[in-house]
Amino acid sequence: MKHTYDVVITGAGPSGLACATELSSKGLEVALLDEQAKPGGQIYRNLAGSSSAQRKVLGKDYAAGLAVLKGFSASKLDYLPATRVWQAEPNGDIFWSRNGASGKFTAKYLVLGTGAMERPVPFEGWTLPGVMTCGGISNLFKDSGYYPSNPLVMAGSGPLFWLVAKHLLDLNAPIKAILNTGSGSLPPFGAMKQMPKAMTRPLYLSKGVVLMGAAKLAAKKAKVPIYNKVTGLAAHGKDAVCRVTAQSKGQPLEFEVATLLIHEGVIPNTSLLRQAGCRHIWNPVQRYWHPKTDADGRTSQEQIFIPGDGAFVHGGEPARIKGQLTALAIEREMRSFTQGEYEKQAAPLRKALAKELLPRPFVDEMYRPATHLYQVPDNTIVCRCEGVTAGSIRELVAQGFTDHNEIKSIARCGMGPCQGRMCGPALVEIVAAASNTNPEANRPLRVRPPIKPVTLGEMANAQLGGDDEK
């Protein structure tokens, strides 16, 4: 097995696939590592193996990924599926586990296409079996055609929330209620200010309006009630969720269910990026930390690039374009072509990306996270790995600890197997609210390798380099 490459890419989503396809077409030695068994990432998950019935439900945006997969399948590179990356270093070293063994690759450049993840938001009962994310149920449908057959409630906000609602309604899933935790049907003031720019892409906007309208119309036909301005969400049960309670405009709600699907938007998946030492900045609208990159995806670490939603959440098509731009920038660095040739190829991509991003400020403002999301009771578990509650975090803040990295060290919130992926966003918000500070005045949670659990057996069977096999 080879151990050294020109470029090692993590993540076989739209950005990683586009980047790998472009780089390999120029004759560069490329390795692509991905946790999934098949290429496509979360957006195009199992697209090549999906049935026509699945693609019909999931729509044209899902099927559009076939062109991306086709280009990738013709590429000459080393593709390692079912591979977990657990460490990346600024010098180009990257460590991974596959088939019960760990290994290390060294590259001139790392492209960390970590993509996005659903925003984890704690609430009473969120750790009960039967509580799932909308993205999780969508992935199950993409993989196996599965969807819930027992009564369920959906709670949350955001484009993916309404998309999954429409899919489940089309499948006649037994939805008892849709609980909208957002601001309601009218755009908030911040979104209205972004409307003029967004209106330059009327087809894009109309697609979103049509999607939400179609979901609400399907809900009306199926006699599924929609409740707006929902707060106080809670799941109840002993061994699994059996009841959901909430409030809508002050009125109590209660439902007997077997499944609760939740979604509160998506955020960049930054664990590997923070571990690698990339500088991060705070976005006050969507309220998340994201790596600071230039237009080509270059980070504060010279050898590390981040394309796609790992840098900032923009969606599938922008991610694909950003992946191509990252590839062109690396090719320029490796002198595969001149600066003039680079500008000639990059210009139309930048123009296309700028067009794609015009409506994003409106969308980000439209689905700004609700202020009440993290106003959870003290007994609510925030860190599921270590069993840390919101009350114990607030108690430490009252004692004068306002740095969430300090609180992590004291309370172990974020020190479990998930390394803070599930509790980190909540920890940041709870500390900020309790200390009356802005998260931007603090710093992102530190992450140390391995960012994913690695067994001693995998380490014992590690392939850590040496001369490449010929």
Side-chain angles (χ1 to χ4, degrees):
M1 177 185 288
K2 286 178 59 62
H3 295 284
T4 60
Y5 291 88
D6 293 320
V7 185
V8 171
I9 303 169
T10 69
S15 66
L17 294 175
C19 186
T21 301
E22 169 62 29
L23 289 170
S24 62
S25 73
K26 296 297 192 297
L28 298 181
E29 293 187 317
V30 178
L32 175 60
L33 317 179
D34 187 51
E35 283 196 6
Q36 306 302 322
K38 299 176 183 178
Q42 304 302 334
I43 294 178
Y44 302 134
R45 189 183 181 101
N46 193 40
L47 177 55
S50 63
S51 66
S52 58
Q54 286 169 297
R55 292 195 292 274
K56 181 179 179 181
V57 171
L58 294 168
K60 294 181 180 179
D61 287 346
Y62 178 65
L66 288 170
V68 181
L69 293 179
K70 182 178 179 181
F72 170 73
S73 64
S75 302
K76 294 181 179 180
L77 49 80
D78 289 345
Y79 169 51
L80 280 73
T83 301
R84 289 177 293 116
V85 173
W86 48 267
Q87 183 174 349
E89 295 298 324
N91 66 354
D93 288 344
I94 192 161
F95 298 81
W96 47 268
S97 289
R98 186 174 191 247
N99 296 331
S102 288
K104 181 186 82 170
F105 289 158
T106 298
K108 296 174 183 175
Y109 294 98
L110 297 179
V111 177
L112 306 181
T114 54
M117 58 181 280
E118 289 181 90
R119 184 192 310 272
V121 177
F123 56 88
E124 183 183 349
W126 75 308
T127 62
L128 283 171
V131 178
M132 297 182 60
T133 65
C134 288
I137 204 69
S138 180
N139 285 344
L140 281 176
F141 181 74
K142 291 174 182 177
D143 281 336
S144 63
Y146 170 82
Y147 60 93
S149 57
N150 294 318
L152 69 115
V153 160
M154 297 185 64
S157 179
L160 180 61
F161 178 74
W162 293 106
L163 178 65
V164 173
K166 178 63 167 60
H167 292 164
L168 291 175
L169 288 163
D170 288 345
L171 292 164
N172 296 315
I175 303 175
K176 299 193 74 170
I178 295 175
L179 311 182
N180 177 18
T181 60
S183 59
S185 57
L186 293 177
F189 177 71
M192 294 302 294
K193 290 198 301 182
Q194 300 294 341
M195 180 69 83
K197 185 186 295 184
M199 286 300 293
T200 61
R201 290 287 311 282
L203 291 179
Y204 183 99
L205 279 187
S206 64
K207 187 169 77 170
V209 172
V210 168
L211 168 63
M212 185 181 293
K216 291 182 176 180
L217 179 60
K220 184 177 181 179
K221 287 183 177 180
K223 297 182 179 179
V224 175
I226 298 176
Y227 299 92
N228 293 316
K229 297 185 178 180
V230 171
T231 60
L233 180 69
H236 308 273
K238 184 177 180 181
D239 300 316
V241 61
C242 63
R243 184 168 57 94
V244 171
T245 59
Q247 292 183 345
S248 173
K249 302 177 183 178
Q251 297 300 311
L253 303 173
E254 184 172 345
F255 307 95
E256 302 294 326
V257 298
T259 302
L260 170 60
L261 299 181
I262 57 173
H263 179 79
E264 292 293 350
V266 292
I267 62 176
N269 187 357
T270 63
S271 294
L272 184 65
L273 316 178
R274 284 178 283 136
Q275 180 271 304
C278 300
R279 183 190 171 200
H280 283 63
I281 54 179
W282 176 256
N283 180 266
V285 176
Q286 278 295 303
R287 301 193 69 80
Y288 56 59
W289 290 99
H290 65 97
K292 180 175 174 58
T293 65
D294 66 11
D296 297 322
R298 187 190 293 276
T299 70
S300 59
Q301 302 291 353
E302 187 176 346
Q303 292 177 244
I304 297 179
F305 287 76
I306 304 172
D309 286 350
F312 198 92
V313 178
H314 288 136
E317 179 60 12
R320 182 192 67 78
I321 298 172
K322 288 192 283 186
Q324 285 187 277
L325 284 170
T326 291
L328 291 178
I330 292 174
E331 290 166 3
R332 177 189 59 187
E333 295 291 320
M334 299 192 69
R335 294 179 171 80
S336 295
F337 44 55
T338 65
Q339 177 68 21
E341 291 170 327
Y342 162 77
E343 292 293 346
K344 183 178 179 180
Q345 294 188 50
L349 290 172
R350 286 179 178 157
K351 183 178 180 179
L353 180 60
K355 182 179 179 181
E356 287 288 332
L357 299 187
L358 281 171
R360 288 306 306 188
F362 171 80
V363 174
D364 289 344
E365 287 280 3
M366 180 73 184
Y367 295 106
R368 178 192 283 260
T371 56
H372 62 77
L373 287 182
Y374 298 97
Q375 296 172 3
V376 295
D378 282 346
N379 64 348
T380 304
I381 292 177
V382 174
C383 176
R384 1 170 124 215
C385 298
E386 299 292 329
V388 182
T389 65
S392 61
I393 296 170
R394 292 173 180 136
E395 184 178 344
L396 286 170
V397 174
Q399 294 174 17
F401 298 98
T402 58
D403 184 332
H404 41 258
N405 282 291
E406 287 183 326
I407 293 175
K408 171 184 172 182
S409 299
I410 298 169
R412 295 191 58 81
C413 185
M415 294 184 73
C418 86
Q419 286 268 29
R421 281 188 296 276
M422 295 302 296
C423 65
L427 176 60
V428 168
E429 295 283 6
I430 291 171
V431 170
S435 61
N436 196 28
T437 60
N438 191 316
E440 191 172 9
N442 217 312
R443 36 181 188 157
L445 278 178
R446 290 188 298 265
V447 179
R448 293 187 174 91
I451 68 163
K452 299 288 179 70
V454 182
T455 68
L456 291 175
E458 288 173 332
M459 295 301 296
N461 296 321
Q463 305 166 24
L464 297 180
D467 295 334
D468 287 347
E469 295 179 5
K470 304 297 183 183

